[in-house]
Amino acid sequence: ATAAAAAATAAAPPFAAHSCSSSFVMSRTLALFDVDGTLTVPRKEADDVMKAFMRALKTKVTVGIVGGSDLVKISEQLGEGAEKEYDYLFAENGLVAFKHGELLAKQSLRAFLGEDKLKTFLNFVLHYVADLDIPIKRGTFIEFRAGMLNVSPIGRNCSQEERDEFERFDKEAGVRAKMVEVLREKFADYGLTYSIGGQISFDVFPQGWDKTYCLQFVEKDFDVIHFFGDKTYKGGNDHEIFESEKTIGHTVTSPEDTRKQVTEHILDKL
């Protein structure tokens, strides 16, 4: 481990100092986490410090993961078998839902839209991206997932360095925000929601299929649901669940900040 990791470990020791007064407290409290920017640096793997922290947290409260990415990408970041490692794992905002490693439910965007509308939408997006004047483009501009589309103006095949460059460019140029506004107007009757997340893309899914979709699987089983995410601003893919009356929302700025806030808002109160 690096010196920084060792220091972080020292700053976030095992939870021996936090006693859980009853199994009731543990069973009725859910800590729900975004992935990118919350548990990991965007698109990077969770480090050993965070993995140890989450393992220890599971001994105190029920832990769930809700990400916009599919299970393959979430597993790349949190480790193979992530759906078994955590009490709940909600891929694609919960459109693919797991509990203790068992598949709970799976939703289909194709069934919702129908092939004709889906084809019309995809054709428009591809034409729009083709006409975009941005510094670089790579490949895989649309990724078709079970319950949503992921649209990337630069293309998901870009390198990490190119991701970082596009993120900086997009903060100034607003490429994704402008594209989302065009799609909202063009397909106003499709019943779709657009959510900017990560560094290079945005998600497209039916209204109500944002991260609050996952709450239907847990809301009746817990008295308190804490949600931790970084993109909680309007238009960010954590916004709706952060604002939901069913959750206590916490905005974090990094994995280190996540550990700090979990300790402050959950562990120190047990």
Side-chain angles (χ1 to χ4, degrees):
T2 64
T9 303
F15 306 147
H18 303 284
S19 62
C20 190
S21 59
S22 72
S23 60
F24 175 78
V25 173
M26 176 179 174
S27 65
R28 302 296 297 184
T29 300
L30 172 64
L32 194 56
F33 297 88
D34 167 52
V35 181
D36 266 6
T38 301
L39 298 180
T40 76
V41 175
R43 289 306 307 143
K44 297 292 183 67
E45 184 179 350
D47 62 25
D48 291 340
V49 176
M50 181 56 82
K51 289 178 179 178
F53 183 88
M54 295 296 282
R55 282 194 297 270
L57 181 63
K58 282 175 54 185
T59 69
K60 300 300 182 182
V61 297
T62 304
V63 176
I65 307 297
V66 55
S69 296
D70 59 25
L71 179 61
V72 171
K73 290 185 176 59
I74 291 175
S75 295
E76 288 173 354
Q77 294 179 265
L78 301 185
E80 285 299 320
E83 73 277 15
K84 299 176 183 176
E85 178 72 17
Y86 295 96
D87 301 300
Y88 292 91
L89 189 144
F90 302 112
E92 302 182 38
N93 294 350
L95 302 174
V96 181
F98 293 89
K99 180 179 180 180
H100 301 309
E102 299 293 327
L103 183 66
L104 280 178
K106 187 174 183 178
Q107 188 56 271
S108 168
L109 174 65
R110 182 167 50 196
F112 175 86
L113 281 180
E115 288 293 350
D116 288 343
K117 282 187 175 181
L118 183 58
K119 183 171 65 175
T120 299
F121 185 89
L122 293 174
N123 286 345
F124 183 88
V125 168
L126 290 170
H127 280 293
Y128 186 98
V129 170
D131 293 336
L132 270 180
D133 183 14
I134 57 178
I136 60 172
K137 294 179 185 177
R138 293 300 180 251
T140 311
F141 301 103
I142 301 175
E143 184 173 84
F144 192 93
R145 299 173 181 171
M148 67 174 69
L149 299 172
N150 180 264
V151 179
S152 175
I154 184 178
R156 297 193 63 88
N157 288 358
C158 60
S159 67
Q160 184 60 52
E161 181 180 358
E162 291 164 344
R163 279 175 172 268
D164 296 340
E165 289 175 0
F166 178 82
E167 183 180 32
R168 288 191 291 269
F169 174 78
D170 190 44
K171 284 179 180 178
E172 297 293 329
V175 175
R176 290 182 291 176
K178 291 174 184 175
M179 187 173 180
V180 162
E181 286 307 308
V182 169
L183 293 173
R184 278 202 181 108
E185 182 177 350
K186 175 71 175 177
F187 298 98
D189 61 337
Y190 272 35
L192 297 172
T193 294
Y194 304 85
S195 183
I196 296 173
Q199 296 178 285
I200 61 169
S201 64
F202 60 89
D203 295 326
V204 184
F205 45 84
Q207 292 171 2
W209 289 17
D210 52 64
K211 286 184 178 177
T212 61
Y213 188 90
C214 78
L215 296 178
Q216 65 185 291
F217 302 111
V218 296
E219 59 185 313
K220 294 180 181 178
D221 296 327
F222 298 94
D223 295 323
V224 179
I225 300 175
H226 289 271
F227 171 75
F228 298 85
D230 65 318
K231 289 184 169 56
T232 57
Y233 51 82
K234 189 173 182 179
N237 65 355
D238 296 323
H239 178 71
E240 291 85 1
I241 192 169
F242 173 81
E243 291 286 338
S244 173
E245 295 180 354
K246 299 175 182 178
T247 69
I248 300 172
H250 308 280
T251 302
V252 301
T253 58
S254 66
E256 294 77 15
D257 187 44
T258 298
R259 293 194 291 271
K260 177 183 176 183
Q261 292 206 40
V262 169
T263 301
E264 176 184 351
H265 296 296
I266 298 180
L267 295 172
D268 284 346
K269 299 182 184 301
L270 292 179

